[in-house]
Amino acid sequence: MAVEQSQPYRDLVHALSEVAELNDDTDVNCDVCFSYALKSDGLYFVRLSMVGLYATFERLHGHGGADLVTSRKDCSSDFERDVFRLLAARGFHVLSEDELNSAVDLALPDIDNGAVTVRNAIFSPEE
């Protein structure tokens, strides 16, 4: 059974849907992470790795930029603290920009050898 069909994070997704409007934004062709758009006091994205308990939590800006929320001290609202608490309570490690940009010894199509990062490996293999 494929990971995406087993819905390993069903409990977390349900809990997130109770604190915000949640839309599954997972690309059906992506086999490395689940992506969820959350709408509360703004627009956010949570990405959950299919490889292990790794996550990203992003706050989107109206002009197209985004900020990573990587710890409780980065949270600027009760909603953000709730999401971070839900991730942490289920054992997720929310990755920082430095961790995401760390090089990994892995070959991925369309990415030069030596240029593959943690972000590519567990969240965005096509970037």
Side-chain angles (χ1 to χ4, degrees):
M1 177 186 302
V3 173
E4 62 274 6
Q5 293 174 333
S6 69
Q7 299 179 2
Y9 307 132
R10 180 179 338 182
D11 175 58
L12 173 59
V13 172
H14 176 73
L16 290 169
S17 72
E18 291 183 337
V19 297
E21 179 183 327
L22 182 140
N23 290 305
D24 188 338
D25 194 49
T26 304
D27 180 345
V28 296
N29 296 314
C30 181
D31 57 359
V32 295
C33 77
F34 299 99
S35 296
Y36 300 96
L38 302 172
K39 188 172 182 182
S40 178
D41 55 340
L43 185 60
Y44 299 84
F45 272 96
V46 171
R47 290 183 176 81
L48 307 173
S49 173
M50 291 180 192
V51 175
L53 294 176
Y54 301 103
T56 61
F57 179 31
E58 296 175 284
R59 176 189 316 117
L60 275 64
H61 302 286
H63 59 277
D67 293 325
L68 285 174
V69 180
T70 61
S71 70
R72 289 190 60 86
K73 69 179 174 104
D74 293 337
C75 295
S76 62
S77 69
D78 288 340
F79 167 74
E80 291 178 9
R81 281 184 281 282
D82 286 344
V83 171
F84 199 84
R85 179 185 49 77
L86 290 169
L87 291 167
R90 285 158 177 82
F92 278 89
H93 177 73
V94 181
L95 297 168
S96 69
E97 193 68 42
D98 286 344
E99 291 170 316
L100 289 167
N101 291 330
S102 296
V104 293
D105 187 18
L106 185 68
L108 291 175
D110 301 324
I111 297 179
D112 294 334
N113 288 341
V116 177
T117 65
V118 169
R119 183 186 317 266
N120 303 126
I122 62 176
F123 294 108
S124 306
E126 69 284 349
E127 291 181 10

